[in-house]
Amino acid sequence: LRTEKERVFAAADLLIEQKEALFKTKQDRHSNQFTTADGKYTVALGYRTNDGWDDTVDVGIAKVKEYLKSLTTTDEGAKAVDIIMKLLAKDKKGNLKASAMIQLEQHASKYGDPLFIEGVQIIRDAYRPDNSCQFISVSWKDENGVKHALPLSLAAMDLNA
């Protein structure tokens, strides 16, 4: 299985290079997807990515929290603090969610406070995604247009099918 996975990734590298040459672009993607012209079959491959942050993230969080202290004087400010604190909440592994940082950045732009913007920028610059494993997935659409996944791992295979 490992040999076949390596063979698929090597073949995909050639396809990715051809796609980049055709469209005159270089993509920094963690995954790529290839679909047949009729849209019936799709192969996706790449890396599963975990959010990661370097130690400067805590400096950014501290600056954002310092800014938040100035908002707690009004009811409207208290609501904003609640929203922003939820975006700064860490997951079970102690990491921030990158998707929440996009929303945090939007709030910083909206409020326009230099301290808030600086804190969010430090957080953004601290982002260090980590590839956890390679994956290959295959799907097809049946005659009714319903998408089905082809199980490629032994654990995912249904013995009753």
Side-chain angles (χ1 to χ4, degrees):
L1 288 174
R2 179 178 302 154
T3 302
E4 286 305 309
K5 189 175 184 181
E6 289 170 357
R7 191 177 68 74
V8 169
F9 270 86
D13 284 341
L14 179 61
L15 286 172
I16 293 165
E17 287 173 16
Q18 289 175 344
K19 182 171 69 170
E20 290 172 347
L22 176 67
F23 293 107
K24 296 175 178 59
T25 182
K26 178 81 172 149
Q27 294 181 320
D28 184 22
R29 304 183 102 195
H30 293 281
S31 65
N32 284 277
Q33 186 169 301
F34 302 94
T35 303
T36 57
D38 63 3
K40 188 171 181 178
Y41 300 99
T42 299
V43 175
L45 66 159
Y47 296 89
R48 304 267 184 239
T49 305
N50 295 326
D51 290 338
W53 308 87
D54 69 25
D55 55 345
T56 61
V57 74
D58 294 323
V59 173
I61 291 170
K63 285 186 178 283
V64 171
K65 287 182 178 179
E66 185 179 331
Y67 163 72
L68 293 177
K69 288 179 188 175
S70 69
L71 296 179
T72 57
T73 57
T74 66
D75 285 342
E76 192 65 30
K79 289 177 188 174
V81 169
D82 187 48
I83 291 168
I84 293 167
M85 288 304 293
K86 285 180 182 171
L87 294 173
L88 288 173
K90 294 184 178 184
D91 65 15
K92 291 179 254 177
K93 295 180 181 178
N95 288 316
L96 297 173
K97 295 179 184 164
S99 58
M101 294 307 101
I102 294 168
Q103 294 174 31
L104 186 66
E105 206 165 18
Q106 291 169 346
H107 286 291
S109 293
K110 182 172 87 174
Y111 289 106
D113 182 86
L115 183 62
F116 191 14
I117 292 169
E118 180 186 11
V120 171
Q121 185 63 47
I122 291 169
I123 293 169
R124 184 178 191 197
D125 292 344
Y127 185 60
R128 301 286 182 269
D130 182 37
N131 292 335
S132 63
C133 66
Q134 289 180 314
F135 74 90
I136 301 171
S137 66
V138 177
S139 62
W140 81 95
K141 291 182 182 175
D142 64 20
E143 58 278 353
N144 298 319
V146 176
K147 191 174 182 178
H148 300 275
L150 177 67
L152 297 177
S153 75
L154 296 175
M157 292 180 187
D158 183 2
L159 296 177
N160 299 321

